[in-house]
Amino acid sequence: KSYLRPGQVNYNGFISLFSTMGDFFAGYGSSHPTANLERWFEGCALDSLGLTWEQAAELPGSTLLAGENCGEEFNNMYAAYRRSHDNAETRLDDYVGANIPTIIGVAMVVGDTNDQIHAAQNQYLNANENFVWNPNYVDDFKWAYISRGPDLDIIETNMHSRHPGRLANMFYGIGQLTWREALTISSAEPG
């Protein structure tokens, strides 16, 4: 029944919450504090090598930025960015692998088993526990990958050459999605 319960996390809400952080580190938006962030790195980054964030945050801050220490300066910059960021340009709309080679792997159920899961979920949510679920573990459970087409071709070729048979047949190339799309489906596990 764990496959049928709604998940514990609202992934669309989760994505929205963390997208501003991704935008900040990608340098997106007219309100991005690029110059201040560069000053912060100059004043805090080298001295913090090998330290935990807790230790680095306590280092003396830059003389050019308002803050008692490196942690407070960073928090002030990020808080100001969050307040003024308009999300007009967001990292979530970039394609996975467009800037940095990236491959996201997810478990995926396809075919008749996927249809059965959706039907069973509806029955479960309507308090009907008399559902039929006969998963086809051989054909309908896949290792799915999100990335650029050429990267997926390499993965598929390697799976077939190194693991012929059952494992190679589990390959499922989803293709290139935006980060928003990928994050929405990649973590959509049952609660």
Side-chain angles (χ1 to χ4, degrees):
K1 293 179 185 174
S2 66
Y3 279 105
L4 307 179
R5 286 188 309 232
Q8 299 291 326
V9 177
N10 175 335
Y11 287 99
N12 289 324
F14 179 79
I15 290 165
S16 296
L17 180 66
F18 284 96
S19 69
T20 303
M21 189 179 302
D23 296 343
F24 179 80
F25 286 111
Y28 284 9
S30 59
S31 62
H32 190 267
T34 305
N36 285 344
L37 193 57
E38 287 174 7
R39 284 190 206 102
W40 182 83
F41 275 117
E42 288 170 7
C44 296
L46 288 177
D47 292 338
S48 67
L49 263 161
L51 301 179
T52 66
W53 172 248
E54 289 79 15
Q55 294 167 327
E58 295 300 322
L59 291 173
S62 164
T63 58
L64 301 173
L65 300 173
E68 295 292 319
N69 55 42
C70 289
E72 188 176 306
E73 287 179 356
F74 183 84
N75 290 339
N76 290 343
M77 270 190 300
Y78 184 67
Y81 178 77
R82 280 185 60 202
R83 284 191 301 273
S84 60
H85 185 47
D86 58 10
N87 288 326
E89 179 184 27
T90 178
R91 187 88 164 119
L92 289 174
D93 295 328
D94 290 349
Y95 282 92
V96 171
N99 298 310
I100 299 172
T102 307
I103 299 167
I104 298 174
V106 298
M108 187 169 213
V109 179
V110 299
D112 187 50
T113 302
N114 186 49
D115 296 338
Q116 288 180 40
I117 287 174
H118 286 290
Q121 282 175 331
N122 287 333
Q123 290 178 4
Y124 179 83
L125 294 173
N126 290 313
N128 178 0
E129 293 191 23
N130 299 320
F131 50 83
V132 175
W133 186 31
N134 296 311
N136 179 342
Y137 292 105
V138 174
D139 296 324
D140 291 350
F141 287 78
K142 304 289 185 181
W143 294 112
Y145 297 91
I146 301 167
S147 192
R148 299 174 318 128
D151 296 333
L152 295 177
D153 293 342
I154 292 169
I155 294 169
E156 184 173 23
T157 299
N158 286 340
M159 285 185 79
H160 282 283
S161 66
R162 295 180 184 173
H163 309 284
R166 171 82 178 102
L167 189 58
N169 291 335
M170 291 180 71
F171 172 84
Y172 189 89
I174 294 175
Q176 192 172 28
L177 303 176
T178 65
W179 280 102
R180 182 186 314 273
E181 294 165 325
L183 291 170
T184 301
I185 65 166
S186 68
S187 300
E189 301 174 1

